[in-house]
Amino acid sequence: MSQLKSEFLNIMQDRGFYNQCTNLEGFDEYLADCEQKGVPAVGYLGSDPTGDSLHVGHIVPLMMMRWFQKCGHKPLTLVGAATARIGDPSGKDKLRPFLDEATLARNIEGLKKSFSKFLRFGDGANDALMVDNWDWFKDVNYLEFLRDIGTCYSVNRMLTMDSVKTRLDREQPMSFLEFNYMLLQGYDFCVLMQKYGCRAQIAGSDQWGNITSGTELGRRKYNTELFGYTSPIITDSNGKKMGKSEGNAVWINEDKLSSYDYFQYFRNIGDNEVGKCLRIYTDLPMDEVRRLEALQDKEINEAKKILAFEATKICRGEAEAVNAKETAIKAFEQNQAGGELPCLEIDSGEGILNAFVNIGFCASKGEARRLIKQGGLKLNDKQITDENYCLSACDIVDGQAKIALGKKKIGIIKLR
């Protein structure tokens, strides 16, 4: 890669955020010119409100926008109340379920909460601004849209896009509704360009087809070059997407996941992922990142603790990060149960299998049985051998009992 001029793209390259760009040299010139003049460039990140919180997998483009703002530029966060009514086919094998108005409104509020953890919103020149594409799509005339926008798109080209091609190659049905999605996202980009001077869309690599839909529309209809910039999809050493924990999303919003569990997700990252995660999920200077990722053997655990603390501090605030760290120290280093550890209240006589399922450590009683046979479940630091065991007052010490799945999941049980 040639020498870059802009501060933002140099940071992206150094920290491992770069995947591809529609015109890297042109984007770099545009950003460098803005940085030199002290005028914020404007870029946007979109997310359809199909859920009420973002998760760790969404943090990669969010952190890109965080650095974008740190470099003096203005982030736009678009919540797609209009496009959520259709559903992005990228990476999906079937049509998304339709959402009612109340669900959409609740989800939008949840996304606002997620975005505000990473970006500074306000009225300043480079403060982030949230927009909703329903504001411009709700009054669009379908025939006018087809005439003005549809004529700029080639069906032949659309069929080559991964979001479409993958579905067709698998012989999975794709509705005409979904097929329209890239036109809508392309139109979003151009509306943001006209309303806010937005010249860039920043996202994960799975959005490449939708992004280029917008850049091509900008060139053909408005004679303006728009830029698309994507990050790689972050995976662990097994090729599994980051952000998934035993099939469950690691949620950004605290009403979906405790700060302790968020902390523990990063604390338990594989050794090979530590450097990558320090670069992407923290604000630590690169000199410190390089020092930490060079640690070996047992010392790598110190790097994991710093990673967990710094990632939690950004997402949940420093006080929550401190609490989560202290809880982990008590649970794993001082053998004390308490703090933010998962807690379950039960009646005396509750079966041990139910306890592990209800606290969320096991998906089913069958899984709990298998783990007991493998010696993976403990009660008060003693291995459980009887799957029919029932908890009683004799298990309660200082008002609580400690249950554990392996070495990484610890919870407390209290009698009602």
Side-chain angles (χ1 to χ4, degrees):
M1 187 180 293
S2 59
Q3 182 65 35
L4 297 169
K5 301 176 182 178
S6 63
E7 181 186 12
F8 173 70
L9 289 182
N10 274 303
I11 291 172
M12 293 297 96
Q13 179 178 317
D14 206 19
R15 300 187 80 97
F17 284 103
Y18 177 70
N19 180 61
Q20 58 184 334
C21 181
T22 53
N23 177 1
L24 186 62
E25 183 177 349
F27 190 32
D28 189 40
E29 290 279 358
Y30 165 63
L31 291 173
D33 184 57
C34 289
E35 290 170 4
Q36 185 177 5
K37 294 177 179 177
V39 177
V42 183
Y44 96 95
L45 168 65
S47 183
D48 287 341
T50 53
D52 58 1
S53 172
L54 299 178
H55 60 67
V56 168
H58 297 117
I59 291 180
V60 181
L62 255 179
M63 287 297 293
M64 293 165 73
M65 294 303 277
R66 182 179 173 89
W67 285 110
F68 190 71
Q69 187 172 48
K70 281 175 176 286
C71 292
H73 305 304
K74 186 177 186 68
L76 302 179
T77 58
L78 181 144
V79 289
T83 38
R85 287 166 164 84
I86 290 180
D88 184 358
S90 302
K92 306 296 184 297
D93 56 12
K94 59 183 179 181
L95 181 66
R96 283 187 184 273
F98 295 117
L99 303 176
D100 58 45
E101 296 298 322
T103 300
L104 281 171
R106 183 178 67 250
N107 289 350
I108 287 172
E109 287 303 311
L111 293 193
K112 287 180 180 178
K113 189 175 181 180
S114 293
F115 283 131
S116 64
K117 293 177 180 296
F118 294 83
L119 301 172
R120 184 188 69 255
F121 286 81
D123 299 323
N126 80 316
D127 284 345
L129 177 68
M130 180 166 288
V131 294
D132 185 346
N133 62 12
W134 182 243
D135 291 341
W136 50 85
F137 272 118
K138 66 178 184 291
D139 297 322
V140 166
N141 178 283
Y142 183 60
L143 291 178
E144 290 178 357
F145 184 81
L146 289 179
R147 181 194 63 202
D148 297 339
I149 304 301
T151 52
C152 297
Y153 286 87
S154 161
V155 171
N156 307 64
R157 169 77 170 140
M158 292 170 71
L159 290 172
T160 67
M161 298 297 182
D162 284 344
S163 59
V164 177
K165 189 174 183 298
T166 302
R167 289 275 282 275
L168 298 181
D169 288 346
R170 293 175 181 169
E171 298 184 353
Q172 293 167 331
M174 179 181 227
S175 70
F176 183 70
L177 186 70
E178 294 172 286
F179 191 60
N180 274 264
Y181 187 91
M182 67 178 72
L183 274 71
L184 303 187
Q185 187 163 323
Y187 185 69
D188 281 342
F189 202 165
C190 290
V191 169
L192 295 177
M193 177 267 293
Q194 292 176 302
K195 288 173 68 72
Y196 302 102
C198 178
R199 295 280 304 280
Q201 183 178 357
I202 293 171
S205 62
D206 60 334
Q207 290 297 307
W208 183 252
N210 292 327
I211 290 174
T212 56
S213 164
T215 58
E216 290 182 12
L217 181 62
R219 176 176 56 84
R220 291 177 179 175
K221 185 169 178 60
Y222 301 101
N223 196 31
T224 300
E225 183 173 20
L226 304 177
F227 302 103
Y229 186 95
T230 63
S231 65
I233 300 298
I234 306 302
T235 59
D236 62 21
S237 55
N238 297 316
K240 182 181 177 182
K241 283 186 180 181
M242 300 289 288
K244 299 293 184 180
S245 177
E246 298 181 11
N248 298 312
V250 180
W251 299 107
I252 289 176
N253 293 356
E254 53 269 21
D255 56 341
K256 303 275 286 185
L257 186 77
S258 73
S259 296
Y260 171 76
D261 285 334
Y262 190 88
F263 180 98
Q264 283 299 110
Y265 171 76
F266 287 100
R267 174 65 182 83
N268 294 325
I269 287 292
D271 291 359
N272 294 331
E273 277 73 61
V274 173
K276 176 168 56 181
C277 289
L278 283 165
R279 291 165 184 263
I280 288 175
Y281 293 104
T282 80
D283 289 332
L284 289 174
M286 282 304 299
D287 286 346
E288 177 67 358
V289 169
R290 294 186 184 99
R291 182 188 73 80
L292 292 170
E293 68 183 357
L295 298 176
Q296 299 292 324
D297 303 322
K298 291 183 179 180
E299 288 185 332
I300 199 69
N301 283 318
E302 295 307 310
K304 291 182 183 181
K305 292 175 185 177
I306 293 172
L307 164 64
F309 181 83
E310 293 296 327
T312 306
K313 182 173 71 172
I314 290 174
C315 185
R316 301 296 179 84
E318 187 164 5
E320 288 293 302
V322 169
N323 288 339
K325 178 181 177 181
E326 290 177 350
T327 298
I329 290 172
K330 289 177 181 178
F332 296 100
E333 297 178 23
Q334 299 175 1
N335 200 31
Q336 300 176 28
E340 284 194 25
L341 291 177
C343 181
L344 178 68
E345 288 190 353
I346 64 170
D347 295 317
S348 182
E350 182 80 26
I352 194 68
L353 298 179
N354 283 340
F356 276 93
V357 171
N358 291 336
I359 204 169
F361 289 176
C362 299
S364 65
K365 290 183 180 180
E367 181 185 358
R369 288 190 184 96
R370 288 192 296 274
L371 288 167
I372 286 175
K373 290 177 181 177
Q374 296 166 7
L377 303 186
K378 291 184 178 182
L379 172 63
N380 292 329
D381 297 320
K382 294 181 180 179
Q383 187 174 311
I384 300 168
T385 57
D386 181 6
E387 66 180 46
N388 296 313
Y389 186 80
C390 294
L391 292 153
S392 66
C394 63
D395 297 308
I396 304 300
V397 179
D398 295 329
Q400 61 190 32
K402 182 168 76 170
I403 62 173
L405 191 168
K407 296 180 179 180
K408 296 181 178 179
K409 285 194 173 183
I410 296 176
I412 58 176
I413 300 291
K414 295 181 179 180
L415 293 182
R416 289 192 182 94

